[in-house]
Amino acid sequence: MGEPMPEIKSKHSLVAKYVTQPIWEKLSSVVTKTSGFTLAKAISCATEYDDQHCGIYAGDWDSYKDFADVFDPIIQDYHGISSEAVHTSDMDVSKIKGNIDPAAPVHSTRIRVGRNIDGFGLSPGITKDQRLGVENLMKKAFANLTGDLAGTYYPLTGMEEKVRQQLVDDHFLFMSGDKNLITAGM
């Protein structure tokens, strides 16, 4: 048996609803292979703060498998889907239907990376070496973008404060100090 079940301060969170004593006893000693993430780390926002709705972060792809008894019902509850729901991915661009006014051209776009690259942790669980590996992979990928897809890569280390603040102001970079991101390990 792992460590004792922590107090969940966010009493009305989805973590409080689904992380029960039996579930805690079953999963508290599990450590994910990719980044060494634990259930205690995953639910740290719900145990630190009393104002969380979900209160959970995955540390890596393994978290969704290893802690499926917690993640699956939380995801289903949050999105209002049944346990039989299946995600389908269709990358056929011809099927995209939009309502963008051609007279209003897109000047800028932002890509939010919310998932991971196989073999690397997600933000809460990623190691420094994994972070550097992801950065190197992405730099190579960005260097191959041409034409209207080309742009400027801004590394977080060594960035001038003026540039950092402009990226924050333009919503391209997270603002420092978010208690949930810090607690979750991001």
Side-chain angles (χ1 to χ4, degrees):
M1 184 150 115
E3 59 190 83
M5 184 169 168
E7 175 192 0
I8 298 171
K9 293 180 181 175
S10 290
K11 303 292 184 200
H12 301 288
S13 67
L14 294 175
V15 164
K17 184 175 180 180
Y18 293 108
V19 179
T20 62
Q21 186 67 42
I23 292 292
W24 178 262
E25 288 172 7
K26 178 181 178 183
L27 300 175
S28 65
S29 61
V30 173
V31 178
T32 65
K33 181 180 177 185
T34 299
S35 60
F37 216 66
T38 64
L39 183 58
K41 289 178 185 175
I43 66 169
S44 60
C45 284
T47 60
E48 274 299 308
Y49 306 113
D50 63 3
D51 61 353
Q52 303 297 296
H53 173 67
C54 285
I56 193 165
Y57 287 90
D60 48 34
W61 184 80
D62 301 335
S63 296
Y64 293 105
K65 292 183 309 176
D66 294 347
F67 309 121
D69 290 345
V70 175
F71 274 100
D72 287 353
I74 287 177
I75 291 167
Q76 291 158 11
D77 194 331
Y78 182 82
H79 291 288
I81 59 175
S82 76
S83 60
E84 287 82 37
V86 177
H87 174 78
T88 55
S89 181
D90 186 347
M91 301 299 283
D92 182 352
V93 72
S94 70
K95 295 179 182 177
I96 297 173
K97 305 294 182 224
N99 59 357
I100 298 173
D101 181 353
V106 176
H107 293 284
S108 175
T109 188
R110 170 175 68 165
I111 299 170
R112 180 183 174 273
V113 180
R115 294 293 177 251
N116 74 333
I117 300 167
D118 193 27
F120 295 94
L122 295 168
S123 292
I126 195 167
T127 65
K128 183 175 181 176
D129 285 343
Q130 289 175 347
R131 232 178 251 284
L132 293 171
V134 168
E135 182 180 29
N136 287 330
L137 283 173
M138 298 314 299
K139 283 195 295 192
K140 288 177 189 173
F142 296 148
N144 289 312
L145 298 176
T146 59
D148 63 350
L149 296 177
T152 303
Y153 171 73
Y154 297 97
L156 292 176
T157 54
M159 184 185 301
E160 292 182 26
E161 177 56 25
K162 182 178 177 181
V163 172
R164 188 200 67 78
Q165 188 57 56
Q166 188 62 55
L167 291 171
V168 169
D169 293 346
D170 292 341
H171 305 286
F172 289 114
L173 189 63
F174 284 121
M175 185 174 61
S176 299
D178 182 289
K179 71 177 186 176
N180 293 315
L181 298 179
I182 292 167
T183 300
M186 293 184 254

